[in-house]
Every structure is written in structure tokens, then in C-alpha cells.
Amino acid sequence: MDFIDPVLDRPQSIDCDQLDPDALYRLANHDIVFHADGETDLRDLRWPWADAIYARHIKMRISDMHDDAFMPMVTRFYPGYQETILGTEGMIVSKQLAVPFDSAYDRAVIWLLQCQAEGDRLLRLDIEIDWGEPLEQRLVDGLLVAQREPGAARGLYEQRNAESTRVFGNPQARPQSSDLSDPQRAQLTYYVLVNGMVEVPLLLTVSDVGEQVAWNGFLALRDSELAFEQSVSEWTTKVKTGRLWTPDPRFNRAVQKGRLA
């Protein structure tokens, strides 16, 4: 079966049971590159300018209060983001994974869950993060801060400079539970009450310097639904202009510089 669809103004949709379980799909902007698997979980978040991997694997398991896992049904591929539709009896969830484009802070990844349920349903989100290296981790105001070789705490908010920093979490809520006992991994659990339609955002920002930069980026994108919509609009404009764009940030920058020269 040929999955290639040359039409750019509509998503490429593939049933999840027809996807190669080992295939990965690249998403990138001018700053970061990462892959998504068939269930729209993140793999190998890389910042090419720093030549470093900032997250090896971030997996999201969605279930309800009876621990019934949601079954993936369809995965859709758009410019700038990927979406998997999951379902269980009486409830549908759209899991979208996006890379911001021309946003307030592009060294970031946005997850947006659009949940629709019949009546009141309690949704459970289990987040498993593999950083790919040992990091110092702590929860600050409900957000996970992970750093490589952080320095001494400074200032009113006791923030730290470090070789690299990651800030992850929900801008609107704290996790119900967390496990940071393994310096290379983190496990977070969120509960969401769904009545009708509910949107649940999650956000990851990265920085190669101090904690303050990653925090500022997170705060700039804290209205994740708006940031997602603006990024989709920018990606749509990029496609309509017909300008060359590849998933390789270095190549894109070289082409742009050559055009200006």
C-alpha cells in the first residue's frame, strides 16, 4: 500500500495497525530536531547547535480510572506536528505533538491533548521520561527542572546556571505524584477531570545556559493552546509560500544565508 500523498493542504492519515512499529518521523524547526514514533511519543530531542541530545524518550500513557488503556486508532502527519487519535468506550483523545515555529521561544516542544467524553470521566496521564544521561532533577512550583552539572543556587528564586537545562510540565496544574529517584529518568502522573471537551497542554523547554532562560521560555509559551495555533498558522504559511524547508536546521540556515548573499 502506498502511503505517499503529494497533497500538502490535507493531513496524511494512516491507521495505527498499518504503521511500522519501528518507524520514526522527524519534526524540526530552525533550532531543534526530534522524532516521533507511530503513537506520537517523542524520541531523541536534539539541539544541533549544541550537538547534544536533551531527551532520549518521552512516553505518555493515557488511561482512565479503571486503568483501561486507550487504543491508538489513527495517526496523522501535518507540517510541524503529528497527531494520534486514541479511544476507549465513551471517550476520545487527540494527542498532538508539535514543534513551535516563529513563536516566542522555539527551543521547545508542545503536547496538546484534546479530550472528549460522554459525561464525567477521570483521565490519568503517566509520563515516563528518559533523559539519556544522569541529571539533577527537582520539582519547582509543580514543574520538573532537570540540569546537567548545575552550579550554586542564586537569587531570590534560587535558580542555577548549568551546562544544559530542561523544564517540563503542565502550565496549569501540578502532577499528582512523581518519582525522581533515578537521575536518568523521571515519572510523573497527572489526573484530569473531563466533562464534554477539555484541552490538556504539556510543555518542554530547553536551554544550554542558565535555568532562567528555560523558565522564561516556558513562561512565554504558557498559553500552550495559543502557541500551538500560532505555530500551525506559521507552518501553513511556510508551506503555501513554496519556500524550501527540510527537517535539517543547519541546511535550512545555509540555504537562507545563501539566498541573502
Side-chain angles (χ1 to χ4, degrees):
M1 183 176 181
D2 185 7
F3 295 132
I4 303 300
D5 185 350
V7 180
L8 297 179
D9 61 352
R10 68 178 182 223
Q12 180 183 5
S13 300
I14 305 176
D15 292 342
C16 290
D17 57 2
Q18 295 180 347
L19 289 170
D20 183 347
D22 298 321
L24 298 175
Y25 310 93
R26 179 174 290 187
L27 292 167
N29 59 23
H30 50 276
D31 275 329
I32 62 172
V33 178
F34 60 89
H35 293 84
D37 60 22
E39 296 187 13
T40 312
D41 285 324
L42 182 146
R43 304 287 186 110
D44 296 333
L45 171 63
R46 178 180 292 274
W47 189 0
W49 314 111
D51 192 25
I53 291 180
Y54 277 67
R56 181 71 65 187
H57 188 195
I58 300 180
K59 180 179 180 180
M60 181 184 302
R61 182 180 182 272
I62 304 175
S63 60
D64 65 9
M65 61 182 298
H66 302 296
D67 201 31
D68 293 331
F70 283 60
M71 296 298 297
M73 299 183 292
V74 176
T75 296
R76 297 173 177 170
F77 304 89
Y78 299 81
Y81 75 100
Q82 182 175 316
E83 175 188 36
T84 294
I85 307 297
L86 306 99
T88 189
E89 184 176 357
M91 192 169 182
I92 295 290
V93 175
S94 164
K95 179 170 68 172
Q96 299 170 333
L97 176 63
V99 54
F101 185 54
D102 282 351
S103 70
Y105 191 81
D106 284 348
R107 295 170 189 171
V109 181
I110 298 174
W111 288 260
L112 189 61
L113 303 181
Q114 295 181 335
C115 314
Q116 184 173 0
E118 299 176 358
D120 294 336
R121 299 289 293 271
L122 187 62
L123 191 71
R124 173 171 173 160
L125 306 179
D126 290 298
I127 313 295
E128 299 179 9
I129 303 175
D130 179 1
W131 298 119
E133 62 176 326
L135 299 173
E136 183 173 317
Q137 305 182 87
R138 67 189 193 280
L139 287 175
V140 181
D141 291 337
L143 301 179
L144 173 61
V145 178
Q147 296 181 292
R148 181 198 303 161
E149 299 183 6
R154 298 179 179 179
L156 178 64
Y157 300 101
E158 297 186 345
Q159 294 182 332
R160 305 178 180 184
N161 291 329
E163 290 189 6
S164 65
T165 301
R166 305 127 178 95
V167 176
F168 175 86
N170 183 314
Q172 304 167 356
R174 300 169 178 264
Q176 183 71 21
S177 62
S178 61
D179 182 358
L180 310 179
S181 57
D182 185 342
Q184 187 165 309
R185 301 176 183 273
Q187 295 183 353
L188 305 173
T189 299
Y190 297 87
Y191 288 95
V192 181
L193 179 62
V194 180
N195 186 335
M197 295 191 64
V198 174
E199 290 187 343
V200 182
L202 289 162
L203 185 61
L204 171 67
T205 56
V206 301
S207 168
D208 66 337
V209 287
E211 182 180 344
Q212 182 66 52
V213 175
W215 269 101
N216 287 347
F218 195 100
L219 294 175
L221 299 176
R222 63 186 180 276
D223 189 345
S224 301
E225 296 93 334
L226 179 60
F228 179 87
E229 293 174 0
Q230 291 177 341
S231 292
V232 169
S233 176
E234 292 293 336
W235 280 111
T236 301
T237 301
K238 172 67 72 175
V239 171
K240 287 182 178 180
T241 60
R243 294 178 60 184
L244 176 64
W245 182 265
T246 76
D248 187 340
R250 294 177 185 268
F251 183 78
N252 297 330
R253 184 67 63 87
V255 170
Q256 180 67 8
K257 286 184 176 180
R259 182 182 293 109
L260 293 175

